[in-house]
């Protein structure tokens, strides 16, 4: 069975500093990896994905993520955090044989001025 | 990306009653997904709905409790039947994009008293 772990319930960072939100996964075969963001009282917004190709993928709002096959990780990063980045972030994985998307438990990002 | 709308956006219901949630997509899609997000938790897949066939339910979810309709390629409904306070959650519908990512509706926030 596939699974996703987000080891940090909350990440605190000062505005202007770089941020990292961690994600590790377990899946049979090649993984399809995704990051979503959820703002208060809103649905999930798609940020970025890794399907194949370059291990560093760039997404919306200046976010990027690095796929590391040996460490089975897909950490979300941003060089300079904004207060408006404060939200709940979910990592998700799908195997390349099925359609089910499995989510991690979520990480709350708090960016302080 | 798909534009997804849900009705109602929120509701407060009494235990023992039922609520039907509607999901409308701005384009034709083969598969639609229904998720539940309990307070402070991650997303859990309830079922996958294909047009013209019975929905496929995940472990822990049954058709009698969560009947789903999928009358055409742009619309689906999820009914939460015989509600109890434990059903208080956000319910989200989702569709697959062209690049394996999924897009989500804004969610229906249900409170059962």
């Amino acid at each position: 069975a596939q699974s996703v772990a987000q080891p940090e319930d909350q990440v605190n960072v000062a505005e202007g500093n770089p941020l990292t939100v961690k994600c590790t996964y377990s899946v049979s075969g090649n993984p399809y990896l995704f990051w979503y963001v959820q703002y208060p009282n809103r649905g999930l917004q798609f940020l970025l994905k890794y399907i194949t190709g370059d291990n560093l993928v760039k997404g919306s709002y200046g976010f990027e993520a690095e796929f590391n096959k040996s460490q089975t990780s897909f950490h979300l990063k941003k060089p300079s955090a904004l207060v408006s980045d404060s939200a709940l972030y979910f990592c998700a994985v799908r195997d390349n044989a099925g359609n089910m998307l499995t989510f991690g438990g979520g990480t709350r990002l708090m960016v302080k001025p | 990306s798909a534009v997804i709308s849900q009705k109602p956006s929120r509701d407060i219901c009494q235990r023992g009653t039922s609520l039907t949630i509607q999901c409308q997509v701005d384009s034709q899609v083969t598969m639609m997904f229904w998720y539940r997000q309990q307070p402070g938790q991650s997303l859990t897949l309830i079922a996958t709905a294909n047009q013209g066939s019975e929905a496929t339910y995940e472990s822990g979810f049954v058709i009698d409790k969560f009947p789903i309709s999928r009358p055409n390629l742009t619309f689906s409904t999820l009914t939460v039947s015989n509600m109890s306070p434990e059903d208080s959650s956000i319910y989200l519908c989702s569709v697959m994009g062209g690049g394996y990512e999924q897009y989500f509706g804004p969610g229906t926030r249900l409170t059962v008293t």
Side-chain angles (χ1 to χ4, degrees):
Chain A
Q2 57 196 43
S3 64
V4 178
Q6 293 180 242
E8 302 153 316
D9 290 337
Q10 182 161 317
V11 169
N12 297 309
V13 64
E15 187 175 31
N17 284 0
L19 69 87
T20 299
V21 182
K22 296 179 180 178
C23 170
T24 59
Y25 66 89
S26 174
V27 69
S28 300
N30 294 323
Y32 295 170
L33 294 156
F34 308 87
W35 275 101
Y36 289 86
V37 59
Q38 186 175 36
Y39 296 101
N41 301 314
R42 303 276 293 277
L44 267 70
Q45 295 181 30
F46 168 70
L47 272 181
L48 51 80
K49 65 182 177 184
Y50 171 82
I51 304 299
T52 187
D54 195 347
N55 289 344
L56 183 65
V57 294
K58 295 185 183 297
S60 306
Y61 311 121
F63 283 94
E64 58 189 29
E66 185 166 13
F67 171 62
N68 187 316
K69 187 172 184 177
S70 63
Q71 297 186 5
T72 62
S73 67
F74 189 56
H75 301 331
L76 181 70
K77 301 181 180 183
K78 187 174 183 180
S80 179
L82 299 172
V83 172
S84 57
D85 292 329
S86 299
L88 190 55
Y89 290 80
F90 290 98
C91 181
V93 69
R94 170 184 288 121
D95 68 30
N96 61 359
N99 292 304
M100 183 175 174
L101 195 61
T102 300
F103 285 86
T107 298
R108 186 164 301 281
L109 174 65
M110 299 290 290
V111 182
K112 298 182 178 179
Chain B
S1 65
V3 178
I4 305 170
S5 61
Q6 287 185 233
K7 292 181 181 179
S9 59
R10 59 178 61 226
D11 207 342
I12 301 173
C13 302
Q14 292 190 340
R15 69 171 66 210
T17 62
S18 298
L19 176 71
T20 295
I21 302 168
Q22 299 178 9
C23 177
Q24 180 76 52
V25 188
D26 68 342
S27 57
Q28 294 184 340
V29 293
T30 304
M31 298 170 67
M32 295 179 78
F33 307 88
W34 286 98
Y35 287 82
R36 181 175 73 182
Q37 186 180 19
Q38 293 180 302
Q41 298 191 25
S42 186
L43 281 77
T44 302
L45 181 64
I46 297 171
T48 302
N50 290 330
Q51 194 267 336
S53 64
E54 291 283 335
T56 303
Y57 289 83
E58 297 301 312
S59 176
F61 298 96
V62 296
I63 188 171
D64 289 346
K65 176 68 175 177
F66 297 101
I68 289 171
S69 77
R70 184 77 203 276
N72 58 52
L73 292 173
T74 62
F75 187 79
S76 178
T77 67
L78 170 76
T79 298
V80 186
S81 303
N82 188 25
M83 288 184 284
S84 67
E86 292 70 36
D87 294 320
S88 297
S89 295
I90 299 173
Y91 293 85
L92 300 108
C93 85
S94 175
V95 302
M96 192 88 79
Y100 303 103
E101 68 276 10
Q102 283 182 223
Y103 296 99
F104 289 81
T108 295
R109 184 179 293 270
L110 171 63
T111 302
V112 184
T113 60

